[in-house]
Amino acid sequence: MSSANTHPPPPSTSSQSNENNNSSNAASAAYLCTHANPSIVTLATCNLNQWSLDFTGNVRRIHKSCTLARNAGATYRLGPELELCGYGCEDHFLESDTYLHCWESLAELFDLGSTDGLLCDFGMPVLHGGARYNCRVLCKDRRVLLVRPKTAMADDGNYRESRYFATYRPPPGSASGGGGGGVAGAAGSSYGGETDMVLL
């Protein structure tokens, strides 16, 4: 579908620096989002230069990506796998401090307003019920909405994810009892006397 003949072109600015070009692109994208077909949804995805265990730097880069996504008129921002701690932590995934620092980093992103008015899909490890999971954590307006544990590990070629993470299997009698895809509720549900991530 083309809207070239129905809407005026977005304002253009010329700039010498990359930063000004990025601002111009964001302004153009935001203009198109507000003047184009209202049924169009703008999604933002990013590939960040994250470093293993560089929580301070990783938070800074994630926050910047959220700001750019919001400025471009996006309503959903998708980040890379395990972006809060970095993908290559290897045996540091076996240490509980890694999980604690990820939650602290997420709290810092909330304090910075990264999720204000923007649905953010963060990649981070989660320790739950004594098991380690590679998860997607969906947040908006400084709240965790959903936690989605990975159900299939990458274990071929150079990947050994099952060395560090458990494959999530819904417990018998849960909402998705027989397996299948879905999203885990952040609040969980009561099962067997303890809170559990349940695939919906």
Side-chain angles (χ1 to χ4, degrees):
M1 175 171 65
S2 173
S3 61
N5 295 327
T6 59
H7 301 291
S12 61
T13 60
S14 58
S15 170
Q16 299 300 318
S17 69
N18 286 336
E19 185 172 317
N20 288 339
N21 285 335
N22 287 341
S23 298
S24 174
N25 291 341
S28 298
Y31 177 89
L32 289 174
C33 288
T34 56
H35 291 82
N37 187 333
S39 64
I40 294 175
V41 177
T42 303
L43 309 177
T45 184
C46 54
N47 185 12
L48 304 177
N49 185 24
Q50 301 298 71
W51 290 74
S52 298
L53 303 179
D54 178 18
F55 294 100
T56 301
N58 291 348
V59 164
R60 186 177 65 251
R61 288 180 286 272
I62 292 169
H63 176 63
K64 182 177 181 181
S65 74
C66 292
T67 301
L68 291 172
R70 189 181 300 103
N71 291 344
T75 54
Y76 174 75
R77 178 260 183 207
L78 172 66
E81 187 174 9
L82 298 170
E83 62 182 313
L84 270 87
C85 59
Y87 187 85
C89 290
E90 299 187 349
D91 284 354
H92 291 289
F93 285 126
L94 305 177
E95 300 170 1
S96 60
D97 278 2
T98 303
Y99 300 83
L100 172 64
H101 294 321
C102 284
W103 285 111
E104 291 172 340
S105 296
L106 186 61
E108 186 176 348
L109 288 168
F110 287 174
D111 290 340
L112 291 169
S114 301
T115 64
D116 291 354
L118 180 67
L119 178 60
C120 295
D121 188 339
F122 299 119
M124 65 179 272
V126 173
L127 186 62
H128 178 76
R132 298 177 302 274
Y133 296 102
N134 179 350
C135 292
R136 304 302 308 176
V137 179
L138 279 74
C139 308
K140 185 178 181 184
D141 296 327
R142 307 183 188 209
R143 294 182 58 206
V144 174
L145 303 178
L146 300 169
V147 175
R148 172 62 160 100
K150 197 170 182 179
T151 58
M153 298 292 107
D155 283 321
D156 55 346
N158 293 329
Y159 299 98
R160 299 288 181 269
E161 286 186 352
S162 60
R163 171 181 170 91
Y164 313 112
F165 300 110
T167 300
Y168 183 78
R169 300 280 185 247
S174 69
S176 63
V183 179
S189 67
S190 178
Y191 176 79
E194 58 182 59
T195 302
D196 187 69
M197 292 186 289
V198 177
L199 293 181
L200 302 175

